[in-house]
Amino acid sequence: MQAFDCAIVGAGPAGMSAAIELANAGARVAVLDRGQKPGGQIYRSVSESPLPDANVLGPDYTAGAELLTAFSRADITHFAGADAWHLGDDGRILFSHLGETCELHCREMLVCPGAMERPMPIPGWTLPGVMTAGAAQVMLKSDAMVSDGAVFAGSGPLLYLIVAQYLRLGVPVAALVDTTPRQNYLNAALMLPRALRRTELLKKGLTLLAEIKRSGIPVYRFAEGLKVLGEENATGLQFTTKGQTHEIAADTVFLHQGVQPNLNMTRAMDLEHRWNLKQLCWQVVTDPFGQTSVPHVSAAGDGAGIFGADGALITGRLAALNILHRLGRLTLAERDRQAAPDLAQITAMAPFRAFIDRLYRPTDALRLPQELSTLVCRCEEQTLADLRAGFDRGARDPNALKSLTRCGMGPCQGRQCGHMVAGLLSEWRDERPETIGYYRLRSPQRLLTLKELSRYQAASAPAQTEAAQ
């Protein structure tokens, strides 16, 4: 058992930037990371890309190499391949590492679980051959693997980015099927004047779209009624646009309609959460410095609210400055002085983030399943019809529905179905999601074998590392 001033869970942009800030101030820092290399999803394999030229992935990706270098040089205890499964209110963290459960104690915790892609539960979304745009990026960044002739469907910056990356590599793309509704463009136009203050971000997005258009691949806009074709495997995608129905043949279909915070860690810690109406998801409640409702626990990065890689770096630094203040290494005045530029930058980024949220706001028809035979819970194979039957039997909240149908009890612990269940219950009850709530979660937060658990022996926490009050 080891003791630290601060333990950080997650080594993406937020976790790394916070660790560097804390270590440079002399704090003893531990970083627990599920990956074998730091970087998270955004900077996956950036220091040793399998691609002949990583520049095809864009400057936002390659810029992460500098952050990884700074992280590797800082005095940080990095636990690679560490899967945290219990974060306690006593400053104790339990995590699986090399097949064994390990324990550490800390005065402060910073959770940076990152984001996950929002499921798109269209008919056939669980067929072999259907993946997310994020999965396409993982294969590309980790192993230089691509899927020739794939269909990309959905909307949002990540979808357009991976299509552009495929095209730069010369990989054939069957089609880009854009589901952004026409009304979204009209609604977002009202927010454009304020968003124009970040012209570099707008230019980046327009450049991606122009790159795709110049490629000559088929691009279908305002698509509705999406359905993955095939019985045992995906064979293509069917959709309607401008009054016409199209079928695009493809063995691989990549879906994407934005991302949402990965909630399970913050939910299992019983931190306060709120419903984000603009992003249609739950997120942990924090102050501008990432401080949560539990005094010694902070949250940063997309796991605390979707703000993108640049925003994650900033929120990581802000959380670190507040932690240094709580550890007695910075006065309140010094914390605020050092934080002022980052806080100003977050404020400046907010209008563009609001513009993106409005432009790519997913429709209910793609966010929630529409056909009774569509799977909602992939782990327990529960369909929309199964959940509706549970509701009709009296299950009025996510936990009651879980008890009746086992929806949310599988290996993913509700990560895939949680928001869908809340959305469906909100629709059926005709009440706001805040009233519906979310699954009640508890440790272990990850899959854990009984063999590993049986070998674990708890250690006593040293008095000097009790959680700060």
Side-chain angles (χ1 to χ4, degrees), residues 209-340:
L209 295 175
E211 187 176 350
I212 294 170
K213 185 177 181 179
R214 286 195 306 270
S215 73
I217 68 167
V219 177
Y220 300 88
R221 301 179 64 198
F222 314 125
E224 300 176 308
L226 277 65
K227 177 181 181 180
V228 179
L229 303 174
E231 295 295 329
E232 296 182 356
N233 297 280
T235 59
L237 184 72
Q238 181 186 87
F239 58 94
T240 301
T241 180
K242 299 179 182 178
Q244 286 189 308
T245 298
H246 301 267
E247 291 187 4
I248 308 294
D251 295 330
T252 305
V253 178
F254 290 113
L255 303 177
H256 179 77
Q257 57 171 347
V259 296
Q260 58 197 22
N262 192 343
L263 291 180
N264 284 38
M265 186 171 293
T266 54
R267 280 282 180 181
M269 298 180 74
D270 202 25
L271 305 179
E272 183 181 352
H273 289 70
R274 69 177 179 86
W275 178 255
N276 186 324
L277 183 60
K278 294 179 180 179
Q279 297 181 351
L280 296 176
C281 62
W282 289 97
Q283 68 179 60
V284 62
V285 174
T286 69
D287 70 6
F289 290 90
Q291 179 69 59
T292 73
S293 55
V294 174
H296 69 283
V297 180
S298 303
D302 281 347
I306 306 303
F307 226 88
D310 292 341
L313 286 167
I314 295 171
T315 59
R317 288 196 299 267
L318 288 170
L321 290 174
N322 187 57
I323 290 169
L324 288 171
H325 166 61
R326 288 178 50 79
L327 292 171
R329 294 176 179 268
L330 280 182
T331 65
L332 182 62
E334 184 60 20
R335 182 203 71 172
D336 292 345
R337 185 190 69 78
Q338 292 190 33

Side-chain angles (χ1 to χ4, degrees), residues 368 376 387 398 401 407 417-426 436 439:
L368 302 175
V376 178
L387 299 191
L401 199 58
C407 182
C417 64
H419 278 86
M420 283 190 281
V421 166
L424 289 170
L425 288 171
S426 175
I436 304 302
Y439 290 137

Side-chain angles (χ1 to χ4, degrees), residues 378-401:
R378 304 181 66 157
C379 300
E380 297 295 330
E381 298 186 340
Q382 294 296 297
T383 65
L384 177 59
D386 296 326
L387 299 191
R388 180 67 207 200
F391 177 79
D392 292 339
R393 289 171 57 195
R396 290 295 187 269
D397 65 73
N399 294 301
L401 199 58

